[in-house]
Amino acid sequence: MAMNTQGRPTAPGTATIAEIQTFTGNRGLDHEEPLIFEIGDTGRTGVDLPAAPKAKSRLGGLERSAEIGLPGLTEPETMRHYVRLSRKNYAIDSGLYPLGSCTMKHNPRLNEKMARLPGIGDIHPLQPQSTVQGAIQLMETLARYLMELTGMPAVALSPKAGAHGELCGMLAIKAAHEAKGSKRDVVLVPDSAHGTNPATAAFMGYRVKSIPAMADGTVSAEAVKAALGPDVAAIMLTNPNTCGLFEREIVEIAKVVHEAGAYFYCDGANFNAIVGKVRPGDLGVDAMHINLHKTFSTPHGGGGPGAGPVVLSAALAPYAPLPFIRKDGDKLTLVEDASEAGDAAPFGRLTAFHGQMGMYVRALTYMLSHGSDGMRQASEDAVLSANYIRASLKDVMSQPFGGPTGDRPCMHEVLFDDTWLKDTGVTTLDFAKAMIDEGYHPMTMYFPLVVHGAMLIEPTESESKQSLDQFIGTLRFLANEARHGNDKSRFKEAPMLSPRRRLDETKAAREPRLRWRPAAAKAAAE
């Protein structure tokens, strides 16, 4: 029987998205969500509470002089608000996340399950150590595995992020120099290092001396040797570097640094490219932080519950911060006080407690579920994925360090520049914004700074070939449109399909609005 279509058109109309105006401001099931202050009302509440009893204030003149002004919402309103906001987020669980040097990799759900096990998810850092021997053993096992993977004799688990780890490693270096009576105030930082490296050194009071990269994007041992002197405390070098390249002269660099009486700090944020393939300790590294989220699949810290353990050479091991684990037969002790440190000379402590237990559990789960061969394969697959993208796009996008034919291999991330966009009227920013309309979060733009119009792409080992092929196809399509298409508005006006259109970024930077004001107050001010 034929379906009755009377009064029900079966073909779409001709109206374009831009022409459709809705009463609500919503776009289909994508809701236009106001700020929570615009939804709630200070005179409304989702619960009924009795009036607070009168009591004498103990705030000593610090009482509020006016109402706090928090919005009142019902539970359904609150739930809908945050669910709607979450639907506007782009995350690794919703699509490929090609941020270079950030390693937005899949977080296995097994890790989450283990972190929530009774006895792990509900322990407290102030419990007596006798009641948390299992947790301390877990930390000792993770520490032992990290030392084995890096070829280093000591590790500090407590740093809570990569930059925090940098601070830890450099404080150990400073303590080692002070123990020898050596006063050095210069730190060498190559141009291809992560930006947090010079920031950490400067924060500690060191003078930062930059080392330029060679034409091939790597650091020359000769350039390092020429910059060394009796005032140099350390070099902070990222390997693989932010150009996605392995530092081929790293052993020679370590040698000349040590001969000058300095220490070698290696930024290990890109360790995920070489796990199971290269041990940094064998290369002459003295200190290196490890971003657990980048290499061992813990959630990306985002300023929150991250972890950046630091492995240390024999020369720096005595200066590892408190707390550290001591093994005496079958008994494990978390040494919390310098008076109990024995022959060690810890420089102090970085955190109130022991670090982030939840991240330790997730990282160890990843290690145990993969084994040494699985972790090695993850590194190989990450490098393979990046090189697959590089080889697939080398004929349409230019590489600053790809060689004459674009065939020079990269590590875990591939770097393109904007040479191929010359005379198109399209910039790196325009191209990245157009990716949003295609459903992709943009790659890292304009970083590293040593490359003009940089586009840094890291696919990680988590993506399937099908996923990579669709991504490559999208970039090829956009590249062709940028170079040969007649309509550049798809780039200059992008993104057009996102909840918010492009800002005037110059004005936003110069005249930022960092505080919300009610419409009435705003109108009165104007």
Side-chain angles (χ1 to χ4, degrees):
M1 181 178 178
M3 183 173 68
N4 181 6
T5 60
Q6 184 175 0
R8 293 185 294 170
T10 57
T14 58
T16 64
I17 294 176
E19 295 171 343
I20 299 175
Q21 301 295 327
T22 62
F23 174 77
T24 57
N26 299 337
R27 294 159 64 92
L29 299 182
D30 181 10
H31 291 81
E32 174 65 20
E33 188 63 14
L35 298 177
I36 196 167
F37 291 96
E38 297 168 327
I39 301 172
D41 189 312
T42 54
R44 190 196 320 164
T45 180
V47 294
D48 293 321
L49 298 174
K54 295 289 185 180
K56 185 178 179 180
S57 173
R58 293 177 293 174
L59 296 177
L62 297 177
E63 299 90 349
R64 288 200 310 266
S65 58
E67 291 295 327
I68 194 170
L70 291 177
L73 292 90
T74 64
E75 181 174 326
E77 285 176 321
T78 306
M79 179 63 69
R80 286 172 183 166
H81 174 71
Y82 287 107
V83 168
R84 287 171 176 172
L85 289 183
S86 73
R87 290 171 59 184
K88 297 182 186 298
N89 283 343
Y90 190 90
I92 191 65
D93 288 341
S94 59
L96 187 152
Y97 217 126
L99 280 181
S101 245
C102 285
T103 317
M104 303 296 285
K105 69 195 297 174
H106 172 65
N107 306 138
R109 293 307 179 265
L110 173 63
N111 299 3
E112 302 302 316
K113 184 177 181 180
M114 294 300 101
R116 288 166 173 77
L117 285 175
I120 291 178
D122 56 3
I123 61 175
H124 193 281
L126 291 178
Q127 284 184 231
Q129 290 194 25
S130 61
T131 68
V132 289
Q133 281 291 297
I136 298 175
Q137 182 179 354
L138 186 150
M139 292 170 65
E140 192 274 337
T141 302
L142 174 64
R144 184 157 34 90
Y145 286 2
L146 290 175
M147 290 186 286
E148 177 65 27
L149 288 168
T150 58
M152 305 282 263
V155 61
L157 291 178
S158 58
K160 292 187 175 180
H164 205 201
E166 288 175 26
L167 180 64
C168 173
M170 290 303 295
L171 284 171
I173 287 173
K174 187 173 185 179
H177 279 302
E178 290 177 346
K180 293 186 293 186
S182 174
K183 295 183 179 180
R184 300 184 176 220
D185 65 347
V186 174
V187 171
L188 306 181
V189 181
D191 291 342
S192 57
H194 277 143
T196 48
N197 292 178
T200 296
F203 176 76
M204 291 179 59
Y206 285 110
R207 291 186 292 119
V208 177
K209 188 175 182 179
S210 63
I211 304 295
M214 293 189 290
D216 68 355
T218 61
V219 179
S220 162
E222 282 299 316
V224 173
K225 187 174 182 179
L228 287 166
D231 58 347
V232 174
I235 186 173
M236 299 182 76
L237 179 143
T238 304
N239 188 48
N241 65 31
T242 50
C243 299
L245 303 171
F246 190 89
E247 293 288 353
R248 292 175 295 185
E249 298 188 23
I250 188 171
V251 173
E252 183 61 25
I253 290 172
K255 180 182 176 182
V256 298
V257 166
H258 291 149
E259 288 175 349
Y263 292 97
F264 186 176
Y265 185 93
C266 182
D267 186 310
N270 296 335
F271 187 48
N272 60 308
I274 58 174
V275 171
K277 307 292 289 186
V278 178
R279 300 198 313 174
D282 299 337
L283 304 176
V285 170
D286 290 303
M288 185 183 85
H289 78 265
I290 303 169
N291 297 61
L292 293 189
H293 65 271
K294 299 185 73 169
T295 303
F296 301 110
S297 80
T298 69
H300 205 293
V310 177
V311 287
L312 301 166
S313 67
L316 296 181
Y319 309 102
L322 297 166
F324 60 84
I325 299 170
R326 175 180 290 152
K327 190 171 185 179
D328 184 12
D330 294 333
K331 183 181 179 182
L332 294 172
T333 303
L334 199 60
V335 179
E336 298 273 10
D337 194 282
S339 63
E340 304 169 358
D343 295 334
F347 65 72
R349 64 187 302 145
L350 289 163
T351 61
F353 300 110
H354 55 261
Q356 180 41 274
M357 176 58 70
M359 296 303 152
Y360 301 159
V361 177
R362 290 173 173 90
L364 184 60
T365 301
Y366 181 84
M367 293 178 178
L368 293 174
S369 61
H370 280 72
S372 60
D373 57 338
M375 286 187 281
R376 181 170 58 251
Q377 182 183 340
S379 296
E380 292 171 347
D381 288 350
V383 174
L384 179 63
S385 294
N387 278 283
Y388 181 55
I389 289 177
R390 177 194 59 76
S392 299
L393 295 174
K394 67 177 184 178
D395 61 323
V396 293
M397 296 173 66
S398 51
Q399 303 169 63
F401 307 117
T405 60
D407 290 326
R408 181 184 177 186
C410 58
M411 294 298 289
H412 60 301
E413 54 194 352
V414 56
L415 177 62
F416 297 102
D417 63 16
D418 63 355
T419 302
W420 65 279
L421 286 171
K422 185 179 179 182
D423 299 327
T424 64
V426 176
T427 66
T428 290
L429 180 65
D430 297 332
F431 188 80
K433 296 291 188 184
M435 288 175 62
I436 297 175
D437 283 336
E438 294 288 345
Y440 287 107
H441 190 288
M443 72 288 278
T444 296
M445 301 176 293
Y446 302 118
F447 183 80
L449 302 178
V450 294
V451 172
H452 192 275
M455 290 174 255
L456 189 60
I457 298 173
E458 181 177 358
T460 79
E461 75 284 353
S462 309
E463 299 300 329
S464 66
K465 183 175 181 296
Q466 180 183 15
S467 173
L468 294 178
D469 284 340
Q470 184 181 45
F471 179 71
I472 290 165
T474 302
L475 264 59
R476 289 189 67 87
F477 166 76
L478 290 175
N480 185 66
E481 288 295 303
R483 295 173 69 180
H484 308 297
N486 295 322
D487 183 11
K488 296 300 193 291
S489 64
R490 73 175 309 129
F491 297 97
K492 291 298 181 182
E493 296 182 19
M496 293 179 276
L497 303 178
S498 59
R500 289 291 178 269
R501 299 293 300 275
R502 192 189 302 204
L503 296 173
D504 181 337
E505 298 189 358
T506 301
K507 185 175 181 180
R510 293 177 177 174
E511 302 176 23
R513 293 184 182 179
L514 305 178
R515 182 178 180 182
W516 175 81
R517 291 189 298 171
K522 182 179 178 182
E526 294 175 348

